[in-house]
Amino acid sequence: GKQFQIAIDGPAAAGKSTVAKIAARELGFIYIDTGAMYRSLTYKALHAAADLKSGKALKDLLDSTEIVLRQMEDGQHVSVDGQDVTEEIRLPEVTEQVSLVSSYKEVREEMVRRQRRLAESCSVVMDGRDIGTHVLPNADVKIFMKASVEERAIRRFKEEELKGRHPSIEALQDAIARRDKKDMEREISPLVKADDAIELDTTSLNIEEVVAAILRIVNARR
Ligand code: C5P
């Protein structure tokens, strides 16, 4: 039968990937983390000392870059040209530059082409910033996940603590707010709720509650 598509968009650190991953597993769908694709290109560009001010240079680099997302027992693995970069793409220097790299039309067009191809052959849960508005405009379910910036900074802080790092909550909050501003203000497919997306405010919900809410929405449409 026809593939089923779930689009999950929202600002940084709203918990999209955490719940998208679990929902995908429950449904037997493939999870596609589009942020990881932009992060992978950013990581490679930083390493290659590419000109981050040139959309053309970044698009050329992307054309010779193979990005592979895989779900394994221990979580999602991301590789760039055969090298596992799962940890590296989450480093602060990548996070700091990814909104610039993702702002170029040429880069976005190629990423969207790859994302649509990934969604062609199976039912998917795809998360990002422009999935419901642009990548999968006909998705069966569109969810716009949000949470207060304070709550998002606290969640990110807890993740960092598990990795043995202790950033200040204020610094995390500033970095999140800066990234959201860039993502919302860019010219090409900015971060915005699709008209037909269901808004889900997760500020006072835990992971299980958000997953349950998403599965309820999906099951009502299947
Ligand atoms: O989801 P994540 O926070 O990993 O995304 C990293 C960055 O990639 C975002 O801040 C945004 O600049 C970019 N992005 C995007 N479009 C998407 C997914 C991510 O522009 N669909």
Side-chain angles (χ1 to χ4, degrees), residues 1-6 28-32 115-126 136 140:
K2 185 188 162 293
Q3 318 297 349
F4 197 89
Q5 298 179 334
I6 303 172
F29 292 6
I30 301 293
Y31 166 58
I32 301 170
Q115 290 154 6
R116 287 184 181 149
R117 206 179 309 139
L118 288 171
E120 252 166 33
S121 51
C122 29
S123 291
V124 295
V125 181
M126 189 181 284
L136 305 175
D140 301 274

Side-chain angles (χ1 to χ4, degrees), residues 27-190:
L27 293 161
F29 292 6
I30 301 293
Y31 166 58
I32 301 170
D33 178 352
T34 64
M37 298 172 70
Y38 290 99
R39 287 172 177 275
S40 293
L41 175 62
T42 304
Y43 170 78
K44 182 164 168 178
L46 288 170
H47 262 251
D51 181 3
L52 300 192
K53 294 200 174 66
S54 164
K56 166 88 170 61
L58 292 166
K59 163 67 164 69
D60 286 347
L61 189 67
L62 178 57
D63 281 339
S64 63
T65 303
E66 184 194 41
I67 300 169
V68 179
L69 309 174
R70 266 169 312 149
Q71 300 309 315
M72 318 247 290
E73 290 282 305
D74 63 339
Q76 170 183 258
H77 279 255
V78 182
S79 68
V80 169
D81 304 327
Q83 183 201 348
D84 191 308
V85 296
T86 307
E87 304 283 324
E88 289 83 347
I89 62 168
R90 308 285 159 194
L91 290 171
E93 53 267 36
V94 173
T95 303
E96 196 56 47
Q97 299 296 343
V98 64
S99 291
L100 175 61
V101 170
S102 72
S103 68
Y104 300 103
K105 181 165 186 280
E106 308 91 309
V107 169
R108 300 202 69 84
E109 282 172 354
E110 172 59 17
M111 288 295 194
V112 169
R113 204 172 299 135
R114 294 185 187 196
Q115 290 154 6
R116 287 184 181 149
R117 206 179 309 139
L118 288 171
E120 252 166 33
S121 51
C122 29
S123 291
V124 295
V125 181
M126 189 181 284
D127 79 350
R129 302 294 186 285
D130 62 339
I131 311 307
T133 53
H134 196 71
V135 183
L136 305 175
N138 300 317
D140 301 274
V141 171
K142 297 183 186 179
I143 291 165
F144 193 83
M145 262 179 71
K146 56 179 214 176
S148 73
V149 69
E150 292 83 8
E151 173 63 20
R152 290 184 282 137
I154 292 168
R155 290 178 189 167
R156 191 44 58 86
F157 177 80
K158 289 178 182 159
E159 280 175 22
E160 292 294 313
E161 264 195 323
L162 291 176
K163 296 178 191 164
R165 295 192 282 263
H166 301 86
S168 90
I169 297 204
E170 290 70 30
L172 288 173
Q173 194 171 311
D174 285 353
I176 289 170
R178 257 202 322 276
R179 192 143 61 94
D180 286 347
K181 185 167 153 48
K182 283 188 206 144
D183 291 341
M184 291 187 294
E185 290 180 352
R186 71 169 172 240
E187 218 168 300
I188 318 297
S189 16

Side-chain angles (χ1 to χ4, degrees), residues 167-222:
S168 90
I169 297 204
E170 290 70 30
L172 288 173
Q173 194 171 311
D174 285 353
I176 289 170
R178 257 202 322 276
R179 192 143 61 94
D180 286 347
K181 185 167 153 48
K182 283 188 206 144
D183 291 341
M184 291 187 294
E185 290 180 352
R186 71 169 172 240
E187 218 168 300
I188 318 297
S189 16
L191 168 63
V192 63
K193 180 180 116 42
D195 291 333
D196 52 350
I198 296 169
E199 193 167 288
L200 192 56
D201 187 336
T202 72
T203 306
S204 59
L205 301 180
N206 64 31
I207 294 171
E208 295 78 60
E209 290 168 327
V210 179
V211 171
I214 291 174
L215 294 177
R216 264 198 308 276
I217 295 166
V218 171
N219 289 328
R221 306 246 173 128
R222 275 221 286 181

